[in-house]
Amino acid sequence: MADDNRTATLTFDNKKVDLPIHSPSVGPDVLDIRKLYGQGGVFTFDPGYTSTASCESSITFIDGDEGVLLHRGYPIDQLAEKSHYLEVCYLLLYGELPEGDQLEDFESRVTSHTMLHEQMMFFFRGFRRDAHPMALMTGVVGAMSAFYHDSTDIADPWQREVATIRLIAKMPTIAAMAYKFTIGQPFVYPRNDLDYSSNFLRMCFAVPSEDYEVNPILSRAMDRIFTLHADHEQNASTSTVRLASSSGANPFACIAAGIACLWGPAHGGANQACLEMLKEIGTVDRIPEFIARAKDKNDPFRLMGFGHRVYKNFDPRATVLKQSADEVLELLGVENNPTLQVAKALEAAALADPYFAEKKLFPNVDFYSGIILEAMGFPTSMFTPIFAVSRTVGWISQWKEMIADPAMKIGRPRQLYTGATYRDYVDVENR
Ligand code: CMC
């Protein structure tokens, strides 16, 4: 953080507080309010953290107005086009693109950790078959701290590294097993001769009774979905991981907390909610009715897969994924799928509607990822688990950065209290 001795002066109630101004490498300046309570006796109020930088980070940068997303400085469209998921993982984790044999070494470390402790299979069997795969993932990832004791000491950099590799390697296995469990099929073990995405597709779609060959176009589309969701700076689930780990909790517990947060429909659950909405709309002729509902102030309905807290002109991830969606739909020859037809018509109708233009609402990454995953044959309940697989590296990168930061403190927000003031307890017969 560059400190050029500039300050902003806050004056109120005959008090004057000088607030240091920090300059980021790119993006808006940041007022440092850490001494505000000590010197001015006031808190700041910012529900939803719309104007608050909760940490210093050098991993990901977003300019929501310009539709820019950079990982370690590299734009997401270039990474999606020229790189692949495990290389992006390396970049996010270690700060630079791998050189020489660094990528091969990283890939082989990840590959050698893809299997789960065999005892964990029994753990899956304790769940109901009709459980949501996200419920299984939250439980199973949290349970990793009960299986991998030798990588839970966050003060030991070696254990942090082992936990990192284990999580990236095992998340696809856990997500695929959660899926297989809920559809009553046998688990398919990982195959280490396949790349990350092909292995995941095989673990989800292969059955012991038949050969399964991974289509390279689908594997590439899967890899793109993983790459595009790898990190997104201080979003709700990442902030959850940071907050959970600020207490010193072990990495598996913290990632489980991130998965729980991601599940919500305003965050990672939006891709499932979006496909469910498309199915509810059902036919193209019903689109005007749903657009009208989305615009009605008295109706809580929102067009899922539209809008974003940070991107206010376009979502650069959606631009890349729209192209992938076209490729996958053509390859699979599913252009006549009614849900996908509704999706295309809804996209066109919303983009042409002044309400959505004025409020800067456009299809986000979840709109297109849902379409691709549906076409690939994933049920909607697997959409968010796939997001969780992708985002694991982002959560861990941010977690590692936080643990290594000497300025790290336990997260402890303040509040604007509006409840009752002091009052004495009243015995029940006098209430
Ligand atoms: N459909 C209809 N109206 C909307 C929508 C929508 N999807 N999103 C926002 N609005 C309206 C909202 O009613 C409000 O109108 P007004 O100013 O008249 O009150 C205005 O736009 C601003 O909405 P907001 O809730 O203040 O905006 P936000 O930045 O807090 O919300 C959001 C961002 C993503 C939660 C929201 O756009 C939304 O609920 N979208 C649908 C869910 C979704 O697709 N989420 C995935 C986000 S991308 C994945 C990720 O990165 O996690």
Side-chain angles (χ1 to χ4, degrees), residues 50 229 232 235 262 265-271 274 293-295 297 301-312 315 317 355-356 359 361 364-367 387 391:
T50 52
H229 289 83
H232 215 224
N235 56 83
L262 186 76
H267 190 9
N271 49 17
C274 174
R293 281 187 61 196
K295 288 156 58 171
K297 277 235 158 288
F301 173 78
R302 283 185 171 199
L303 280 191
M304 300 313 287
F306 282 77
H308 199 273
R309 166 59 65 79
V310 179
Y311 296 120
K312 296 299 175 196
D315 179 342
R317 303 165 301 169
Y355 171 92
F356 294 91
K359 295 203 182 294
L361 301 168
N364 58 47
V365 69
D366 288 326
F367 185 75
F387 192 160
R391 185 54 58 83

Side-chain angles (χ1 to χ4, degrees), residues 136-383:
L136 271 70
M137 286 188 77
T138 314
V140 172
V141 173
M144 284 176 76
S145 42
F147 287 87
Y148 301 104
H149 303 143
D150 58 347
S151 49
T152 51
D153 179 0
I154 62 162
D156 178 347
W158 186 83
Q159 292 203 28
R160 296 205 296 264
E161 183 62 20
V162 177
T164 297
I165 299 292
R166 278 190 170 139
L167 278 159
I168 292 169
K170 294 182 200 305
M171 281 296 269
T173 315
I174 294 172
M177 286 184 173
Y179 173 50
K180 287 295 195 189
F181 181 77
T182 57
I183 57 169
Q185 287 186 3
F187 295 141
V188 175
Y189 283 66
R191 276 254 312 266
N192 290 347
D193 58 330
L194 294 176
D195 63 72
Y196 196 83
S197 304
S198 303
N199 178 45
F200 177 64
L201 288 173
R202 189 179 163 278
M203 287 191 292
C204 289
F205 294 124
V207 286
S209 49
E210 279 176 25
D211 285 341
Y212 179 81
E213 220 167 282
V214 184
N215 183 314
I217 296 186
L218 296 190
S219 167
R220 176 76 191 135
M222 191 75 250
D223 192 85
R224 265 206 181 153
I225 289 179
F226 285 153
T227 302
L228 292 171
H229 289 83
D231 190 45
H232 215 224
E233 52 118 305
Q234 310 311 321
N235 56 83
S237 59
T238 302
S239 298
T240 299
V241 170
R242 279 187 178 259
L243 194 56
S245 47
S246 75
S247 71
N250 76 69
F252 306 113
C254 297
I255 300 302
I259 295 172
C261 176
L262 186 76
W263 195 357
H267 190 9
N271 49 17
Q272 171 169 353
C274 174
L275 245 286
E276 285 166 358
M277 174 195 76
L278 295 175
K279 286 186 188 220
E280 192 192 343
I281 296 174
T283 47
V284 171
D285 59 302
R286 294 191 67 206
I287 288 174
E289 177 197 327
F290 281 81
I291 296 245
R293 281 187 61 196
K295 288 156 58 171
D296 182 355
K297 277 235 158 288
N298 300 316
D299 189 332
F301 173 78
R302 283 185 171 199
L303 280 191
M304 300 313 287
F306 282 77
H308 199 273
R309 166 59 65 79
V310 179
Y311 296 120
K312 296 299 175 196
N313 278 319
F314 68 97
D315 179 342
R317 303 165 301 169
T319 312
V320 178
L321 223 45
K322 184 174 165 41
Q323 188 197 333
S324 270
D326 292 339
E327 280 168 22
V328 169
L329 299 193
E330 195 189 320
L331 171 83
L332 297 174
V334 289
E335 294 95 334
N336 295 330
N337 173 321
T339 310
L340 303 176
Q341 282 186 342
V342 170
K344 290 209 156 192
L346 179 67
E347 178 195 21
L351 289 176
D353 191 303
Y355 171 92
F356 294 91
E358 272 158 30
K359 295 203 182 294
K360 303 190 169 185
L361 301 168
F362 45 81
N364 58 47
V365 69
D366 288 326
F367 185 75
Y368 298 109
S369 68
I371 293 174
I372 297 177
L373 294 172
E374 157 93 359
M376 278 178 165
F378 283 104
T380 48
S381 61
M382 275 304 286
F383 293 5

